[in-house]
């Protein structure tokens, strides 16, 4: 049983308002996601190079990224179901084990087709780990501290992805392109052990005294109920647009624009992208504090609208300093949202439906991960880089404005807390 910010434990952990047991769970979840994302970060520099070694086209290389997102899109909801039926701990451990299989198969792949299939398996494992992790956080947090709890977790997440990239590149240069995949497989094995032996089960949190358990609701009815919630659909559309812009714009169109139209070198482009990660990391916890102090919409809406303006900044940049300025502006505008969208999605989930709500939310958001690189790549080919970025900025503007007008605020004034 996990008291939510009440009882004697809170007095010693006033900064985030968690009981001792909930804080213990948060610590182990941060350790687990750090190990998981170190492994993921280690293969980021080599996925495209590894695929290229099979002698395939640029389109086929891009597909190795998109299919990873497709697996996440397809598996997020079943992962949420598994977390409800079998438990959060089993979901996390299963995700780690599936990731071991997928990444080991990547390292052993004799052909592009096998590599593509292995990337799908690895993406399925990632879906279970990431969805399970957000469900655990939603279990242990309350509306008063959910933003900060998720922000701490996301900060560890972002740092670990960046920290894994350099060792991954060194392993590839020293031992070959397959080495980072083996490292990822071993770290995923550690994730499995952490989930099974160290992360307590949080599925029975509804049994806490004073919080009566909701009657079971069939899966199909849960999804219908979530789909009928304006707040849930609107926050999912905001996250879809953010994922679409990040993977399609930042990871695909913007590097090409910087090289072809601004004339930047790979190290200059990498510096700009790296600046985005650093600034985003610095803003994670302040974002969580703002979300818990002023409400979700007060952070989500400005972040989405300013992100649209930041994309246009890349379109008009024609020097390296201007590119760096656009990168910093994008980092600040998108990074300030932090974990606010996930906190909002957890807020609007009906009682007893948190697992399926987070699974469906992640699937809708991850559809942007899949579509972004393909759609914006096609738009860039047909109409140019600037048009692709302008259309994406329009998508962010529309979703952010709609959310501002139609979405309800989920943190009532009397629930807001002053971050300690």
């Amino acid at each position: 049983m996990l008291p939510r910010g009440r009882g004697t434990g809170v007095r010693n952990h006033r900064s985030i308002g968690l009981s001792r047991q909930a804080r213990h769970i948060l610590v182990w979840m941060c350790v687990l996601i750090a190990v998981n994302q170190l492994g993921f970060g280690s293969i980021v520099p080599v996925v495209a190079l590894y695929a290229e070694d099979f002698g395939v086209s640029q389109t086929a290389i891009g597909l190795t990224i998109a299919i990873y997102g497709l697996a996440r899109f397809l598996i997020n909801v079943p992962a949420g179901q598994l977390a409800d039926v079998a438990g959060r701990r089993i979901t996390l451990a299963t995700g780690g084990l599936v990731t071991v299989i997928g990444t080991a198969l990547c390292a052993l792949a004799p052909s592009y087709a096998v590599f593509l299939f292995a990337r799908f398996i690895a993406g399925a494992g990632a879906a279970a780990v990431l969805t399970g992790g957000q469900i655990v956080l939603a279990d242990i947090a309350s509306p008063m501290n959910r933003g900060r709890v998720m922000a701490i977790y996301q900060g560890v997440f972002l740092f670990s992805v960046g920290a894994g990239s350099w060792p991954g590149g060194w392993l590839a240069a020293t031992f070959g392109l397959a080495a980072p995949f083996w490292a990822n497989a071993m770290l995923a094995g550690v994730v499995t052990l952490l989930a099974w032996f160290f992360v307590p089960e949080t599925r029975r949190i509804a049994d806490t005294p004073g919080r009566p358990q909701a009657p079971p609701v069939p899966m199909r009815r849960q999804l219908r109920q979530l789909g009928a919630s304006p707040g849930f659909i609107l926050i999912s559309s905001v996250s879809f647009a953010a994922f679409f812009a990040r993977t399609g714009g930042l990871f695909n169109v913007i590097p090409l624009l910087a090289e072809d139209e601004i004339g930047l070198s790979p190290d200059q482009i990498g510096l700009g992208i790296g600046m985005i990660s650093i600034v985003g990391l610095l803003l994670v916890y302040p974002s969580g504090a703002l979300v818990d102090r002023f409400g979700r919409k007060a952070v989500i809406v400005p972040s989405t609208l300013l992100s649209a303006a930041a994309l246009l900044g890349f379109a008009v940049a024609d020097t390296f300093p201007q590119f760096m300025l656009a990168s910093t502006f994008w980092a600040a505008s998108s990074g300030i949202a932090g974990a606010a969208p996930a906190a909002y999605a957890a807020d609007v989930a009906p009682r007893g439906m948190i697992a399926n709500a987070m699974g469906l939310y992640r699937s809708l958001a991850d559809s942007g991960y899949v579509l972004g690189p393909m759609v914006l790549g096609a738009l860039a080919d047909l109409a140019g880089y600037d048009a692709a970025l302008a259309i994406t900025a329009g998508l962010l503007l529309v979703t952010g404005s709609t959310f501002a007008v139609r979405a309800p605020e989920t943190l009532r004034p009397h629930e807001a807390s002053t971050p300690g």
Side-chain angles (χ1 to χ4, degrees):
M1 292 185 293
L2 306 171
R4 293 192 177 197
R6 293 180 174 82
T8 57
V10 175
R11 295 175 184 172
N12 294 326
H13 307 297
R14 198 177 294 276
S15 60
I16 53 175
L18 292 177
S19 68
R20 288 186 182 277
Q21 188 177 5
R23 190 169 183 263
H24 171 80
I25 294 170
L26 176 60
V27 169
W28 278 115
M29 283 304 305
C30 286
V31 172
L32 183 147
I33 204 62
V35 174
N36 190 74
Q37 295 310 112
L38 279 172
F40 175 78
S42 70
I43 67 170
V44 167
V46 301
V47 170
L49 299 176
Y50 196 84
E52 189 178 38
D53 266 7
F54 291 111
V56 297
S57 67
Q58 291 295 320
T59 300
I61 293 172
L63 185 58
T64 63
I65 298 172
I67 200 167
Y68 186 89
L70 177 63
R72 285 171 40 169
F73 169 74
L74 294 174
I75 301 301
N76 283 325
V77 171
Q81 259 190 301
L82 179 65
D84 250 357
V85 173
R88 287 45 163 154
R89 191 166 60 104
I90 289 179
T91 302
L92 292 167
T94 301
L97 185 59
V98 172
T99 303
V100 171
I101 296 170
T103 50
L105 189 55
C106 284
L108 295 169
S111 66
Y112 171 77
V114 174
F115 180 64
L116 198 64
F117 175 68
R119 286 284 291 164
F120 182 89
I121 295 175
V129 172
L130 298 179
T131 299
Q134 286 201 327
I135 292 169
V136 170
L137 297 183
D139 285 342
I140 66 173
S142 71
M144 289 85 77
N145 60 18
R146 187 167 285 142
R148 282 167 289 160
V149 169
M150 290 189 170
I152 292 169
Y153 176 84
Q154 187 173 352
V156 175
F157 183 105
L158 291 174
F159 172 79
S160 301
V161 173
S165 295
W166 185 84
W170 178 82
L171 284 171
T174 307
F175 301 105
L177 292 176
F181 291 98
W182 285 118
N184 191 7
M186 288 187 287
L187 289 171
V190 175
V191 168
T192 304
L193 295 176
L194 286 170
W196 191 254
F197 292 108
F198 294 97
V199 177
E201 178 56 60
T202 62
R203 182 166 54 130
R204 299 302 180 189
I205 191 171
D207 293 336
T208 300
R211 299 184 68 236
Q213 188 169 5
V217 179
M219 171 66 172
R220 187 171 300 177
R221 183 178 166 190
Q222 289 190 40
L223 296 180
R224 282 202 306 268
Q225 189 169 340
L226 290 168
S229 168
F232 184 82
I233 295 302
L234 289 170
I235 193 58
S236 296
S237 69
V238 166
S239 294
F240 167 86
F243 278 47
F244 186 95
R246 184 162 70 248
T247 60
L250 188 63
F251 295 166
N252 189 14
V253 171
I254 288 171
L256 296 173
L257 177 149
E259 182 179 51
D260 296 344
E261 296 191 358
I262 307 178
L264 301 185
S265 62
D267 61 325
Q268 289 176 314
I269 298 171
L271 183 60
I273 302 285
M275 176 66 70
I276 292 171
S277 298
I278 293 170
V279 174
L281 175 61
L282 293 175
L283 289 174
V284 163
Y285 190 80
S287 165
L290 289 173
V291 164
D292 286 341
R293 180 67 180 88
F294 298 106
R296 317 316 192 199
K297 291 181 67 174
V299 174
I300 294 170
V301 172
S303 173
T304 306
L305 299 182
L306 289 173
S307 294
L311 279 183
L312 298 178
F314 284 110
V316 301
D318 56 13
T319 65
F320 176 60
Q322 291 175 0
F323 176 77
M324 289 298 294
L325 180 62
S327 296
T328 304
F329 186 35
W330 166 269
S333 56
S334 62
I336 197 63
Y344 187 99
D347 288 346
V348 297
R351 186 163 54 92
M353 300 185 191
I354 189 69
N356 285 320
M358 298 310 292
L360 181 58
Y361 163 74
R362 287 203 59 87
S363 280
L364 294 174
D366 278 344
S367 63
Y369 189 115
V370 179
L371 294 175
M374 296 186 292
V375 172
L376 290 190
L379 283 173
D381 285 337
L382 292 172
Y385 301 131
D386 292 352
L389 293 179
I391 290 172
T392 308
L395 176 64
L396 288 167
L397 184 63
V398 169
T399 55
S401 300
T402 305
F403 185 83
V405 173
R406 299 191 58 190
E409 176 55 67
T410 59
L411 187 67
R412 293 183 293 275
H414 73 273
E415 292 179 324
S417 61
T418 302

